[in-house]
Amino acid sequence: MELFLYRGEWGLPTIDYDCARLLAYLKFSEAKITLNFNGNPFSSPTGMLPYLVTEEGKKIGGYNKITEYLQSRGFDANAQLENQNYIVINGCIQYVFENLFPYFMYSLWGDPKNLDTTRALYAKRIPIPFNFYCPRKYVLKTNELTVSLGGFALEDSVELHDVKDMMLNAKKCINWISEKLGDNRFFFGDTPSEIDAILYGYLSVLLKLTLPNNVLQNHVKQCGNLVKFVERITTIYFAREGFTSANGSTPGSSSSNDSSKAKSEPEQKFYDGTQKDSDDTPYERRKRYVVSGIFATIAMISQHDHGGGANFISYDEPEYDDEE
């Protein structure tokens, strides 16, 4: 089996929340899977990373479906817990998802002050031309959240972005996590479980990604046990996978002291236009050539219609089956 992910930064194994929680799940369940940090979202059945290629060649996209498949193969991050904790875990996961996830996504993909930083971070890890539109998948997903929970669309004037309730719920959730964790190594004591994997996904990104407007990062840093929680899991489980690029001190990177100590792996390069996924079949290549041709055609038409000026063109998002 092979898992395709986004490359990390700031000493973390990945920049992405979904990829981070899945990586932690793999470590906690002791699943032995080949990791490919040059994944292409366009090859994923969801249009996002992570995705898994099974031994039979089947592609599975999204955290939920991948963990379900792993559990069917005997890899369960909750296997060491007592039975009564299973119900508690599901309740904790749901609470965190409902209260932290919405503003977490808005901070990265909805806040006009932060969007360019986040988009550039992801685009650097996606091959051309897919890096122009694959990040848009996350923007659309965030827009669905803000419309349903906040009553505004991301294209609305920023004065209409009423995120006070989402921000407050996120802060309360972080406080709750910190209180429940206490002085424990993990959420249920000395044994890691799926809730720890999910919390690592959120907290590692919040703690390390420096954004122009990062309210939640400042809040997490005030909870010393959460900072130690992230550092503990990164050090114990991802000492080898942790990555820091040569220009890791860019505005999109963390200024934390510990990030400079992370192991850098210069031999694992970002996309340079010549790399391809290991599951790159003739069908996949033909699909990419077609998309490249479409982009080139649109660019020429745009240049002709607008007198040669550079213009952004809106287009319909390709249909994918979302994980959630």
Side-chain angles (χ1 to χ4, degrees):
M1 295 185 288
E2 187 169 9
L3 184 66
F4 292 83
L5 311 130
Y6 289 111
R7 162 78 55 223
E9 190 58 275
W10 331 296
L12 296 178
T14 180
I15 61 166
D16 182 71
Y17 150 73
D18 262 342
C19 292
R21 63 173 175 165
L22 184 56
L23 279 172
Y25 187 98
L26 295 181
K27 294 289 186 177
F28 298 161
S29 63
E30 299 182 349
K32 305 299 182 183
I33 296 178
T34 301
L35 303 179
N36 188 321
F37 287 98
N38 279 323
N40 183 356
F42 192 77
S43 299
S44 169
T46 64
M48 299 177 174
L49 299 181
Y51 75 92
L52 177 72
V53 177
T54 68
E55 295 171 348
E56 297 78 22
K58 178 182 178 181
K59 291 184 178 181
I60 304 175
Y63 174 86
N64 290 337
K65 292 183 179 179
I66 293 175
T67 53
E68 288 176 3
Y69 177 79
L70 293 175
Q71 289 169 5
S72 70
R73 299 291 298 270
F75 301 111
D76 188 353
N78 301 321
Q80 303 300 320
L81 296 179
E82 299 178 0
N83 292 333
Q84 61 265 30
N85 287 331
Y86 277 92
I87 298 177
V88 177
I89 284 178
N90 291 332
C92 292
I93 292 174
Q94 187 64 26
Y95 175 77
V96 173
F97 177 77
E98 292 178 355
N99 290 277
L100 181 55
F101 181 72
Y103 190 70
F104 173 86
M105 290 295 290
Y106 177 81
S107 294
L108 270 65
W109 296 103
D111 190 329
K113 297 179 181 178
N114 298 338
L115 180 57
D116 287 345
T117 299
T118 308
R119 185 159 44 196
L121 187 67
Y122 277 70
K124 183 179 180 182
R125 289 157 172 81
I126 303 173
I128 297 173
F130 312 105
N131 58 348
F132 288 105
Y133 72 91
C134 281
R136 185 169 180 261
K137 187 82 172 179
Y138 297 91
V139 176
L140 294 178
K141 188 172 184 177
T142 303
N143 188 68
E144 293 175 359
L145 286 171
T146 60
V147 169
S148 61
L149 299 177
F152 66 88
L154 295 182
E155 62 264 24
D156 292 342
S157 173
V158 68
E159 288 79 12
L160 300 178
H161 288 203
D162 186 3
V163 295
K164 292 181 180 179
D165 288 341
M166 285 192 290
M167 182 193 304
L168 181 60
N169 290 338
K171 289 183 175 181
K172 287 182 177 179
C173 184
I174 291 173
N175 291 341
W176 177 83
I177 295 169
S178 178
E179 179 182 349
K180 290 296 182 181
L181 180 63
D183 295 328
N184 294 329
R185 288 169 54 81
F186 301 104
F187 207 79
F188 289 104
D190 293 330
T191 303
S193 64
E194 184 177 9
I195 184 63
D196 296 291
I198 290 175
L199 295 180
Y200 180 76
Y202 285 115
L203 298 176
S204 61
V205 175
L206 286 176
L207 188 61
K208 297 294 185 178
L209 171 58
T210 298
L211 296 170
N213 183 29
N214 199 340
V215 176
L216 293 186
Q217 182 183 74
N218 297 330
H219 198 74
V220 172
K221 286 183 175 181
Q222 294 175 6
C223 302
N225 61 340
L226 299 186
V227 176
K228 293 179 181 178
F229 174 81
V230 172
E231 293 176 347
R232 182 182 306 118
I233 293 179
T234 302
T235 301
I236 295 176
Y237 295 98
F238 300 113
R240 182 178 179 180
E241 293 87 351
F243 184 84
T244 300
S245 63
N247 59 343
S249 58
T250 57
S253 65
S254 171
S255 59
S256 301
N257 292 333
D258 60 330
S259 65
S260 62
K261 302 176 184 178
K263 181 178 180 181
S264 177
E265 300 179 17
E267 71 277 7
Q268 295 174 317
K269 300 178 181 179
F270 292 108
Y271 275 108
D272 59 8
T274 62
Q275 293 162 302
K276 59 185 180 181
D277 291 346
S278 61
D279 67 328
D280 196 16
T281 63
Y283 169 76
E284 294 288 347
R285 289 195 293 272
R286 285 196 298 271
K287 184 169 64 173
R288 291 169 189 172
Y289 295 153
V290 169
V291 173
S292 299
I294 292 174
F295 266 83
T297 302
I298 292 176
M300 288 186 293
I301 293 175
S302 174
Q303 187 176 19
H304 177 270
D305 291 344
H306 296 85
N311 293 275
F312 291 103
I313 301 175
S314 61
Y315 51 87
D316 293 332
E317 182 71 16
E319 292 293 333
Y320 297 101
D321 292 328
D322 284 337
E323 136 189 28
E324 304 295 346

